[in-house]
Amino acid sequence: MARPLMLWAIVAALGAQSVYGFQLWHDVNRYDAYGNECKLREVRGIKCKPLCVNDLARCPESLQPSCPDGESFCADGACHAQCTDAIQLLNPCHCSRTGEQLPSAARGLVPCMSLTNVTIQQFRPWDANSDIRRACGAKAGIVDQSETVAVWGNGWLGGDVTAVWAECPPAPNPKFTFRESYWVATFSVNGALVLLLILWSLNKCWAERNVRKASAATTYTLN
């Protein structure tokens, strides 16, 4: 017992002398191992989040929909020969939410044309979303987007706000009534397996009853 405690004491002493602790959590890649702030780097090829409006005419000029002849701009933010119901359901401005999970303020939102290949000269990974919003807004020609553009879930259209960045929050946890087809199938299969095991056990006990009696009688005779 004394030897493990001694080893732990030696390791702790060495660690206290050679390891420099610095808070890195929540500031990803901001500081190096010595606590110095890292040099900001350039990041290229960034794809912006969809910019959502309630009328495509409100999209910035550079993000106005433009499709080839014979195609239409659909709710999924792309051009198609036909905007089918399946395509319309892929609206990125709804953040994969439907029914009661979709806020009423988001129901009428539609995406502008996508914006890609954006470059950020001094990218701060600990505040990536803010950097990306600023760079995307600048490339789209949005003036004073801090006042005119909100973030999905934190603000909606109204007043000076004319657009919303579709930075989707995590999807809410699903609510089950345990009457859904998935649960019915799960309970049915597992219930059938349990019933099968019970029937097998009963059949095994019944089939081996004579063997157990003979074994008991043999043991009694030997004794």
Side-chain angles (χ1 to χ4, degrees), residues 7-223:
L7 290 174
W8 277 111
I10 293 173
V11 171
L14 292 175
Q17 295 178 4
S18 60
V19 177
Y20 175 74
F22 196 88
Q23 177 67 22
L24 295 179
W25 307 115
H26 309 301
D27 284 336
V28 180
N29 297 332
R30 185 171 184 176
Y31 300 99
D32 62 18
Y34 303 100
N36 302 315
E37 194 163 25
C38 299
K39 182 179 179 181
L40 299 180
R41 60 190 177 89
E42 180 182 87
V43 177
R44 300 181 179 182
I46 293 176
K47 182 178 180 180
C48 301
K49 298 292 185 181
L51 185 68
C52 304
V53 294
N54 58 3
D55 186 345
L56 293 177
R58 291 179 174 268
C59 292
E61 184 176 354
S62 60
L63 301 183
Q64 286 284 338
S66 177
C67 295
D69 292 340
E71 293 188 359
S72 301
F73 189 75
C74 302
D76 67 342
C79 297
H80 299 277
Q82 185 178 1
C83 296
T84 63
D85 292 339
I87 291 176
Q88 297 295 87
L89 289 175
L90 299 177
N91 188 338
C93 298
H94 291 174
C95 286
S96 301
R97 288 162 170 77
T98 58
E100 296 180 354
Q101 294 182 351
L102 180 63
S104 58
R107 296 182 186 276
L109 295 179
V110 289
C112 302
M113 288 288 289
S114 59
L115 190 61
T116 59
N117 199 27
V118 174
T119 298
I120 299 178
Q121 299 295 335
Q122 294 185 318
F123 181 68
R124 301 175 302 166
W126 60 89
D127 195 16
N129 289 337
S130 296
D131 281 359
I132 293 173
R133 283 198 299 271
R134 281 192 292 268
C136 292
K139 186 169 182 178
I142 300 174
V143 179
D144 194 15
Q145 66 168 320
S146 61
E147 299 292 334
T148 60
V149 184
V151 177
W152 203 99
N154 295 329
W156 302 107
L157 302 183
D160 294 332
V161 178
T162 58
V164 174
W165 289 116
E167 289 182 14
C168 300
N173 294 326
K175 296 181 180 180
F176 297 112
T177 62
F178 298 102
R179 292 191 296 271
E180 292 84 4
S181 57
Y182 169 81
W183 290 108
V184 171
T186 300
F187 293 146
S188 299
V189 171
N190 287 292
L193 292 174
V194 171
L195 179 61
L196 182 62
L197 288 173
I198 293 174
L199 293 176
W200 177 83
S201 298
L202 294 175
N203 179 69
K204 184 176 183 297
C205 291
W206 175 260
E208 295 177 351
R209 68 189 187 284
N210 293 330
V211 176
R212 286 195 300 272
K213 288 180 181 179
S215 178
T218 302
T219 302
Y220 178 76
T221 302
L222 292 175
N223 292 335

